[in-house]
Amino acid sequence: MANTESERVHCLIIGSGPAGYTAAVYAARANMKPVLYQGIQPGGQLTITTEVENYPGYPDGVQGPEMMVDFEKQAARMGADIRYGLATKVDFSQQPFKVWIDEEKLIEADAVIIATGASAKWLGLESEQRLNGYGVSACAVCDGFFFRGKEVAIVGAGDTAAEEALYLSKLCTTVHMLIRRGEMRASKVMQERVQKAANIKIYWNSEADEVVGENKVEALRIRNNKTNDTQTIPVSGFFVAIGHEPNSAIFKEWIDMDEAGYIKTIPGSSKTNIEGVFAAGDVQDKIYRQAVTAAGSGCMAALDAERYLSAKGIV
Ligand code: NDP
């Protein structure tokens, strides 16, 4: 690994969703001179949503991407040093903590706040990846518009899939919904809504075998996992709504996580198993996963980091 440059900072924040930017606002105001690396998706998951109606302070709602620009501007105005770059490796074995950005720049930090969020899961089919962006999507709210008046399919049976199927049912002629078991995981009320929608067709015990199409989605080949019968449904869009996974892989060697990779924090705090390393937002929260809870936990992480650094006489 090229190790051409290194830089020492007091407080390094990794991630640029509501958690990372809120941590940056608090850390900057506490004179911790935070440096924030945005990762590959500056603004995080909210940049791939449309209207946000449940973030307090926006009485008329706000577009997700616009809200994240506001978050960034506020953090920058407070003095946070916001940079484009992806943390690719860490070494938390000793102080100062080492974090490599884009595999070459080395940052040495007295405190680290992990706010790397979570990403959509994929089925893992070659055709799904090849046609990603050409009819395959993991965000109905972002891409449903392109399939107005057309037939689409969706896979998943949780609340997200139910919500997205209902969203698509308002735009599309038919929504073919694949459920791999004989029941849905979604909450009762969402299940009822899905089952009542006249143009959502449910396929129980069914899985996607292949997304059919050269340069764009033309159909979906599905298989009933009880009978092994296959059929091909002509669709223009295929939505994958099978959950999310935390972006925590680079921390695995050092930080305690649950079996799904969510970082464990000490209840009531943002503290991880390593003193001086804190976690906030969706990377440590599989329950609430809201912008406002992520922002709240980013605030906690900055306050915890400040206490830690001031106890050490660093800030
Ligand atoms: P979940 O983990 O709850 O559900 C994932 C779904 O995808 C499950 O039904 C699962 O099937 C299915 N699945 C996973 N892998 C595959 C695969 N390879 N092939 C086919 N199907 C697959 O994720 P969600 O994103 O739906 O929800 C996450 C959390 O967020 C939940 O706690 C949910 O309640 C919450 N949420 C709440 C909302 C609300 O209240 N408005 C809206 C959205 C989410 P199986 O059931 O067989 O495991």
Side-chain angles (χ1 to χ4, degrees):
M1 178 177 292
N3 186 2
T4 47
E5 276 182 82
S6 94
E7 180 184 352
R8 180 73 182 260
V9 306
H10 289 326
C11 176
L12 176 68
I13 299 169
I14 310 174
S16 60
Y21 283 139
T22 304
V25 167
Y26 275 78
R29 294 186 83 247
N31 209 20
M32 288 153 72
K33 300 185 177 61
V35 170
L36 179 151
Y37 277 94
Q38 291 178 309
I40 39 173
Q41 190 179 23
Q45 292 182 83
L46 278 161
T47 59
I48 54 162
T49 59
T50 52
E51 181 117 30
V52 178
E53 290 188 323
N54 54 8
Y55 199 90
Y58 290 98
D60 301 319
V62 60
Q63 295 295 306
E66 193 184 318
M67 182 165 103
M68 294 323 296
V69 170
D70 285 348
F71 268 67
E72 179 179 350
K73 276 192 199 155
Q74 189 175 358
R77 189 168 76 82
M78 293 303 141
D81 182 347
I82 296 165
R83 304 175 184 176
Y84 187 71
L86 178 70
T88 45
K89 186 188 159 176
V90 302
D91 179 348
F92 290 161
S93 59
Q94 58 183 36
Q95 279 276 13
F97 303 118
K98 292 187 173 71
V99 177
W100 282 267
I101 306 296
D102 296 328
E103 288 183 1
E104 52 179 31
K105 184 179 169 74
L106 171 62
I107 301 281
E108 295 188 288
D110 297 311
V112 174
I113 295 175
I114 301 171
T116 46
S119 302
K121 278 190 197 164
W122 297 98
L123 296 172
L125 301 171
E126 178 278 325
S127 51
E128 170 199 50
Q129 292 311 302
R130 182 166 46 80
L131 294 168
N132 194 343
Y134 299 92
V136 175
S137 165
C139 178
V141 179
C142 323
D143 299 325
F145 183 78
F146 302 118
F147 304 98
R148 274 183 312 165
K150 297 183 174 162
E151 284 193 39
V152 296
I154 184 167
V155 58
D159 281 319
T160 302
E163 222 169 63
E164 300 213 332
L166 287 163
Y167 180 86
L168 291 167
S169 72
K170 293 178 193 130
L171 296 170
C172 305
T173 50
T174 307
V175 179
H176 303 273
M177 186 171 193
L178 309 189
I179 293 175
R180 68 176 172 184
R181 293 185 292 136
E183 59 178 333
M184 287 181 77
R185 180 184 295 271
S187 52
K188 274 272 168 300
V189 55
M190 294 303 281
Q191 291 192 31
E192 277 166 21
R193 280 189 208 162
V194 164
Q195 289 177 25
K196 267 194 203 145
N199 61 343
I200 299 180
K201 185 171 174 195
I202 295 182
Y203 298 72
W204 300 104
N205 303 304
S206 295
E207 295 177 34
D209 265 0
E210 198 191 345
V211 193
V212 181
E214 260 315 295
N215 305 311
K216 63 180 172 57
V217 174
E218 284 162 11
L220 186 69
R221 202 175 72 232
I222 70 168
R223 184 176 43 84
N224 183 300
N225 57 28
K226 292 259 185 256
T227 61
N228 253 344
D229 288 346
T230 60
Q231 60 175 305
T232 301
I233 321 168
V235 291
S236 311
F238 177 46
F239 291 86
V240 179
I242 60 170
H244 289 79
E245 65 192 334
N247 300 320
S248 61
I250 61 165
F251 310 108
K252 206 169 192 154
E253 194 180 328
W254 312 101
I255 300 290
D256 287 349
M257 300 174 186
D258 71 9
E259 63 294 339
Y262 286 91
I263 291 177
K264 288 185 181 168
T265 48
I266 297 172
S269 82
S270 65
K271 295 174 186 169
T272 68
N273 57 305
I274 295 187
E275 220 194 336
V277 179
F278 307 90
D282 285 10
V283 73
Q284 53 85 57
D285 173 18
K286 64 176 167 194
I287 300 171
Y288 302 106
R289 307 181 343 127
Q290 298 301 299
V292 67
T293 49
S297 70
C299 160
M300 288 165 66
L303 295 178
D304 287 341
E306 192 215 342
R307 280 181 199 131
Y308 170 77
L309 292 175
S310 71
K312 290 201 155 244
I314 295 171
V315 295

